[in-house]
Amino acid sequence: FIQLIFEVNSNNNKMNVENATDYLNRINWKTFVEWLTAEIILNRPVDPLQYTRDIIGSKLSQRGNSEYRPDQITDWLRNCYTEATALVDENGVIHGKTIDTAQQSLAEQIVDLQRKIEGMQKLIDASRTIATLDPLQATENIITQTCRILDCDRATIFTLDNVSQELVLTVAEGARDIRVPVGQGIAGLVAQTGETINIVDAYLDPRFNSSADKASGYKTVTILCLPIKSADGKVAGVLQAINKRDNIFNSTDEEVMSLLATQAGIALQNANLYRHAETA
């Protein structure tokens, strides 16, 4: 390591400062790097940069206004392995822990706000397209707008058959429906619980069923799945977006897709009421 020199401009004198090796030893840097490396290896985040930022942000939040303590790093490393042991399933697979997103800087908040505004404008434009009294056309419009607004590769909309307790995917008019039992797969779980599921790596999630990928040759990576609810708040279907093109689905995508799912619920309900009125 080099000997660091600090120049004092006021009197043009030079004074030696702490040797680099001594400094790194004093702040426990080697253990700090080992801790971050262990966190990355054990949790395998899709975005290691964001994960590193979030986990350091959580430590800063816990520390508050107290000073940096080098000895704490050793505790973090020890706790990292302890936490990983608790996350091992019966097959010996470690399921990574969830870390809260670190607080955004002002610049990041502005960028995030701009994205939300853009998303809202796209939703306003989409609402004009989604509104139709043809159930099949309504479904196609919702899928098209979901892909456009979220910038994802594919989207799927299921409607709930309350009698059979199955989700129904209508692929084309006159074609045989594809049915998924409520409680099975990602979409089935969303229909059962009414909760949003956001997956950053489908093949690392035990809830994901890869049979459709194997049959088609397509590879699912990221999934965002939300319930479509009727006016009375009951689950009427499921809206699912697959493979965001530039990144993973984030909290802004969840907010936008939630509004899109609300519009989808209204559009499908109106279309079904019109269809029943025609057949009455």
Side-chain angles (χ1 to χ4, degrees):
F1 289 94
I2 63 172
Q3 180 76 26
L4 297 179
I5 300 297
F6 178 79
E7 183 175 355
V8 182
N9 293 323
S10 59
N11 55 15
N12 293 322
N13 291 326
K14 292 182 178 180
M15 55 183 287
N16 292 335
V17 295
E18 189 175 16
N19 177 279
T21 303
D22 294 338
Y23 169 73
L24 294 177
N25 288 335
R26 180 171 61 80
I27 67 172
N28 206 7
W29 182 251
K30 181 180 179 182
T31 305
F32 185 88
V33 173
E34 288 177 355
W35 165 64
L36 281 179
T37 303
E39 288 282 3
I40 295 296
I41 293 174
L42 293 172
N43 293 285
R44 307 293 172 94
V46 174
D47 187 342
L49 286 176
Q50 181 64 49
Y51 184 85
T52 300
R53 178 192 171 186
D54 292 342
I55 198 166
I56 291 177
S58 71
K59 296 301 182 185
L60 287 171
S61 178
Q62 293 169 16
R63 192 180 82 177
N65 295 324
S66 61
E67 294 182 353
Y68 175 77
R69 286 175 44 208
D71 60 296
Q72 256 189 336
I73 311 299
T74 304
D75 293 335
W76 295 354
L77 179 60
R78 189 181 298 111
N79 291 338
C80 171
Y81 288 108
T82 302
E83 290 173 352
T85 302
L87 295 171
V88 176
D89 64 16
E90 63 275 9
N91 298 315
V93 177
I94 299 174
H95 298 279
K97 61 186 177 184
T98 302
I99 301 293
D100 292 335
T101 302
Q103 186 175 0
Q104 293 179 315
S105 65
L106 179 59
E108 289 171 325
Q109 291 178 36
I110 293 173
V111 171
D112 192 38
L113 181 60
Q114 289 174 335
R115 288 174 180 167
K116 289 181 179 180
I117 293 173
E118 291 173 359
M120 293 304 105
Q121 184 58 55
K122 289 180 180 179
L123 276 172
I124 293 172
D125 296 338
S127 63
R128 304 187 186 100
T129 307
I130 290 174
T132 176
L133 296 179
D134 180 348
L136 185 62
Q137 187 62 52
T139 301
E140 292 176 351
N141 289 349
I142 293 165
I143 290 172
T144 299
Q145 293 303 322
T146 299
C147 289
R148 183 179 73 86
I149 294 172
L150 296 184
D151 192 27
C152 62
D153 192 28
R154 295 184 179 185
T156 307
I157 187 167
F158 295 89
T159 54
L160 178 62
D161 185 334
N162 285 305
V163 177
S164 65
Q165 282 297 290
E166 293 175 314
L167 290 174
V168 183
L169 170 62
T170 304
V171 292
E173 189 171 7
R176 185 175 181 178
D177 294 336
I178 297 173
R179 291 178 172 264
V180 177
V182 170
Q184 290 189 15
I186 304 301
L189 284 171
V190 169
Q192 182 181 57
T193 63
E195 301 292 331
T196 297
I197 292 180
N198 188 344
I199 297 176
V200 298
D201 192 331
Y203 281 83
L204 293 180
D205 195 305
R207 299 170 296 182
F208 175 65
N209 186 341
S210 62
S211 59
D213 276 11
K214 292 176 181 177
S216 63
Y218 182 80
K219 184 176 181 181
T220 301
V221 180
T222 55
I223 302 173
L224 180 57
C225 198
L226 282 82
I228 296 173
K229 296 184 178 180
S230 57
D232 59 4
K234 295 181 179 178
V235 175
V238 169
L239 181 60
Q240 180 173 268
I242 297 174
N243 288 355
K244 188 172 177 68
R245 292 192 176 96
D246 61 344
N247 208 323
I248 60 176
F249 293 107
N250 55 35
S251 58
T252 300
D253 293 324
E254 291 182 16
E255 292 177 18
V256 171
M257 192 167 170
S258 178
L259 294 173
L260 193 57
T262 299
Q263 290 191 12
I266 295 171
L268 289 177
Q269 188 173 28
N270 290 341
N272 287 330
L273 287 172
Y274 180 77
R275 182 180 59 186
H276 291 153
E278 278 193 323
T279 57

